[in-house]
């Protein structure tokens, strides 16, 4: 074939492989609470060119075990490949790909918003509508805490951004399995 001549592509070559899905994957990892574990997990993703969308780490009821909750775009990365690689890491005890319909997931965000006297009431009304809490007040700004789904946090951001978003901090999602109906 000549240089610059486009190659014909077969339709079946365009099919998405079975390891890829269009949904966001929330992975819950139970790991040994030891120095360097998070670095090894992040390094695994980094070496393979995978991007972690959100990452939250915290203690569990057992002081020797931590839970890492991370989200990865399943449309971009083969999730089965990721989990196989994670299982090989010594300090990883358990991995769960949380199914959206059987999971409760929440995120927390803090927004510092410009709040002059003339727009303060409207901003406070937005906070009330979103069941957010005003956690700090100054003469020129309000700091608001929002907890909920990532969609809720993003919707709140869209509402207050026009008022002058000074700073925003988000935790990333944490997730837990829903209780079974008979439990």
């Amino acid at each position: 074939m000549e240089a610059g001549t486009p190659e014909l592509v077969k339709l079946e070559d365009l099919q998405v492989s079975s390891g890829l899905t269009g949904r966001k994957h929330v992975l819950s990892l139970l790991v040994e609470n030891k120095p360097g574990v998070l670095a090894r997990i992040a390094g695994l993703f980094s070496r393979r060119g995978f991007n972690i969308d959100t990452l939250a780490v915290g203690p569990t009821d057992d002081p020797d075990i931590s839970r890492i909750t991370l989200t990865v775009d399943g449309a971009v990365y083969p999730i089965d490949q990721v989990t196989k690689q994670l299982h090989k890491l010594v300090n990883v005890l358990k991995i769960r790909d949380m199914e959206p319909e059987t999971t409760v997931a929440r995120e927390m965000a803090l927004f510092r918003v410009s709040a002059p006297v003339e727009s303060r009431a409207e901003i406070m009304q937005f906070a009330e509508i979103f069941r957010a809490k005003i956690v700090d007040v100054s003469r020129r700004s309000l700091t608001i805490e929002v907890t909920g789904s990532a969609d809720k946090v993003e919707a709140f951001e869209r509402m207050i951004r026009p008022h002058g978003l000074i700073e925003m901090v988000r935790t990333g999602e944490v997730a837990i399995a829903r209780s079974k109906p008979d439990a």
Side-chain angles (χ1 to χ4, degrees):
M1 193 170 263
E2 289 180 41
T5 305
E7 240 181 89
L8 291 176
V9 178
K10 296 177 189 155
L11 183 60
E12 56 269 13
D13 293 341
L14 297 174
Q15 300 294 324
V16 175
S17 72
S18 62
L20 298 178
T21 66
R23 78 171 172 90
K24 171 185 74 173
H25 288 271
V26 178
L27 298 178
S28 176
L29 287 73
L30 290 178
V31 299
E32 293 176 10
N33 187 10
K34 293 186 175 175
V37 174
L38 180 59
R40 283 193 287 285
I41 290 169
L44 183 146
F45 280 84
S46 176
R47 284 189 304 277
R48 283 153 187 80
F50 289 9
N51 186 44
I52 297 171
D53 293 327
T54 68
L55 175 68
V57 183
T60 64
D61 53 328
D62 182 341
D64 296 329
I65 298 175
S66 293
R67 179 180 306 273
I68 298 175
T69 307
L70 53 90
T71 59
V72 182
D73 185 347
V76 178
Y77 306 116
I79 203 67
D80 55 345
Q81 180 187 349
V82 173
T83 54
K84 284 176 189 171
Q85 295 296 319
L86 286 169
H87 274 296
K88 292 179 182 179
L89 295 178
V90 173
N91 303 111
V92 175
L93 305 173
K94 185 177 180 182
I95 302 167
R96 250 174 106 182
D97 184 2
M98 309 288 279
E99 294 292 332
E101 57 278 352
T102 60
T103 302
V104 176
R106 293 291 181 266
E107 180 174 341
M108 194 269 289
L110 296 171
F111 296 90
R112 191 165 56 232
V113 184
S114 177
V117 175
E118 58 274 8
S119 64
R120 192 167 286 224
E122 185 178 10
I123 295 168
M124 291 170 75
Q125 207 170 20
F126 286 141
E128 190 176 321
I129 290 166
F130 281 85
R131 293 192 205 118
K133 295 179 194 168
I134 296 170
V135 294
D136 189 52
V137 178
S138 75
R139 286 182 41 210
R140 296 189 181 103
S141 69
L142 295 173
T143 301
I144 305 166
E145 174 189 315
V146 179
T147 305
S149 68
D151 290 341
K152 177 182 176 180
V153 172
E154 289 161 10
F156 183 76
E157 178 188 351
R158 284 192 302 275
M159 296 302 289
I160 62 156
R161 189 171 279 281
H163 290 280
L165 181 59
I166 299 168
E167 188 175 6
M168 172 180 81
V169 181
R170 292 173 68 167
T171 60
E173 286 185 312
V174 291
I176 193 166
R178 289 186 186 278
S179 298
K180 293 189 175 28
D182 57 344

